[in-house]
Amino acid sequence: MTSPFPVIDGHNDLPWERRESHDSGLDGIDTEQDSLHTDLPKLRAGGVVGQFWSVFVPADDPDPVRTTLQQVDLVHRMVERYPDDLALARTAAEVRAAVDSGRIASLLGAEGGHSIGDDLAVLRVLARLGVRYMTLTHNDDTPWADSATGARAHGGLTDRGREVVAEMERIGMLVDLSHTAPATMRNTLDVATRPVLFSHSSTVAIDDHPRNVPDDVLARLADNGGVVMLTFVPKFVSRAWADWEEAGSEGEGPLVTVSDVADHVEHAREVAGAAHIGLGGDYDGTPVLPPDLRDVSRYPVLAAELERRGWGAADLGALASGNVLRLLEATDDRFARAAFLR
């Protein structure tokens, strides 16, 4: 990986954006698109060598399994459409092979347990299609897990939720705890036998928002081996921005900067450890971003801010890609068997 800051990003919603604004069409991704946070030139400029593409569907979708499969198909078609720039990747070895070939490794992540329709057979099919992680919830509770922003009717993870987690671990699919309630995070860590992931979250200590991760959970990542991938969404980064939104978003919102994001990164490093942090920008999944980090070309701006704060090459490399590669490697054998990769 020749980039000075080779990023493997944990969460990007370009597939849903293309569905909504381009009828799932893929024209133009290879050129600069002012309306998008993400296109191929911006990914190259940002040093992005690997991307988890979210195959998100809304929780209220009347047929979430079908729509999720359509989103998986969209990512596969995108990789096929731009073979000189993108390569499908499901394991750490495939990520490295893609990067060595000069292409951007394209991984898939499902966002919300509603995507499987409470059916473990669907979960296994998604794994065979290359879906590498599943977020247990999105903005609403599932029948078996509480969301950070849901009614929290279950008190965390139910017995059925523990079955889902166990099956995900058995087949090597990463358990993603972004969007989950703190009780769901803690319950999952209580039963987890493999490292967990937060694909796009920030820290409660810096911004006390329901979507963020409390310090006690961050501290448990060291024993679990998991990784929290810090996000750039203003309301998860800045308490001032979140307060402005909650008050009705009148007038111009407070400025959110790369320094605010770096505060979360540094706090996560302090509590969880340098081996347990990563980046999940949530590009094209939020209408507004810090101006300093306005699109995927701007990762070097964050790297420069962290270098200014005294970060060395080892910690920067771990944050950008090293830690998530280790996380993949910890589950690659099981995933490869479940997905019939060998």
Side-chain angles (χ1 to χ4, degrees):
M1 298 181 182
T2 58
S3 170
F5 194 61
V7 172
I8 299 174
D9 177 89
H11 192 89
N12 186 300
D13 278 301
L14 180 65
W16 188 257
E17 194 284 334
R18 297 303 292 192
R19 181 187 182 97
E20 290 286 275
S21 65
H22 291 77
D23 195 26
S24 298
L26 299 169
D27 289 345
I29 293 173
D30 56 341
T31 60
E32 289 275 358
Q33 298 289 312
D34 291 341
S35 63
L36 299 176
H37 300 151
T38 311
D39 54 47
L40 293 175
K42 292 188 186 80
L43 287 166
R44 297 290 194 185
V48 178
V49 299
Q51 180 65 68
F52 282 90
W53 301 109
S54 175
V55 292
F56 161 79
V57 305
D60 61 358
D61 189 290
D63 193 353
V65 172
R66 177 174 180 266
T67 307
T68 299
L69 291 174
Q70 291 172 341
Q71 293 305 100
V72 171
D73 174 70
L74 189 154
V75 174
H76 281 252
R77 289 190 294 110
M78 183 169 67
V79 172
E80 292 170 359
R81 176 71 177 273
Y82 301 105
D84 293 337
D85 293 288
L86 302 175
L88 188 66
R90 295 153 294 189
T91 65
E94 290 184 349
V95 170
R96 291 191 174 97
V99 176
D100 288 345
S101 72
R103 295 177 291 173
I104 298 163
S106 292
L107 305 109
L108 288 78
E111 189 174 16
H114 60 282
S115 293
I116 63 170
D118 199 22
D119 190 330
L120 297 183
V122 175
L123 179 75
R124 292 186 287 270
V125 168
L126 290 181
R128 289 166 188 151
L129 292 172
V131 176
R132 201 60 174 82
Y133 71 65
M134 184 177 75
T135 320
L136 297 186
T137 69
H138 189 241
N139 289 336
D140 298 323
D141 301 339
T142 66
W144 38 267
D146 285 344
S147 166
T149 52
R152 303 192 185 186
H154 309 303
L157 194 67
T158 70
D159 287 343
R160 175 59 169 173
R162 293 179 181 90
E163 289 180 14
V164 174
V165 169
E167 184 65 0
M168 291 177 70
E169 291 194 331
R170 188 187 72 82
I171 65 176
M173 186 184 283
L174 296 171
V175 176
D176 179 15
L177 294 177
S178 285
H179 280 285
T180 63
T184 305
M185 300 175 193
R186 295 174 185 125
N187 291 168
T188 302
L189 286 166
D190 287 343
V191 299
T193 63
R194 291 289 183 271
V196 301
L197 175 72
F198 289 84
S199 65
H200 59 307
S201 293
S202 294
T203 66
V204 163
I206 305 297
D207 177 5
D208 188 10
H209 190 283
R211 267 282 279 111
N212 289 343
V213 188
D215 276 4
D216 68 292
V217 174
L218 290 174
R220 295 181 68 178
L221 290 181
D223 288 337
N224 170 262
V227 172
V228 58
M229 307 184 85
L230 287 309
T231 194
F232 304 161
V233 179
K235 64 184 175 182
F236 307 150
V237 170
S238 166
R239 187 65 254 168
W241 183 280
D243 289 342
W244 173 76
E245 281 199 7
E246 290 168 10
S249 305
E250 294 184 4
E252 186 174 351
L255 181 63
V256 184
T257 71
V258 67
S259 180
D260 295 314
V261 173
D263 288 344
H264 285 272
V265 174
E266 291 210 294
H267 183 78
R269 181 179 69 162
E270 178 182 346
V271 178
H276 304 285
I277 54 177
L279 299 172
D282 204 6
Y283 283 108
D284 285 301
T286 180
V288 64
L289 287 152
D292 295 335
L293 299 170
R294 60 184 173 268
D295 59 50
V296 296
S297 72
R298 305 292 285 178
Y299 282 104
V301 176
L302 177 59
E305 172 65 18
L306 294 171
E307 287 178 326
R308 187 188 67 78
R309 296 179 182 215
W311 281 51
D315 279 3
L316 285 172
L319 169 72
S321 53
N323 292 335
V324 71
L325 277 173
R326 172 186 54 77
L327 190 65
L328 287 171
E329 288 170 337
T331 53
D332 273 350
D333 285 347
R334 290 184 179 209
F335 188 80
R337 289 194 296 271
F340 303 133
L341 301 180
R342 58 175 160 191

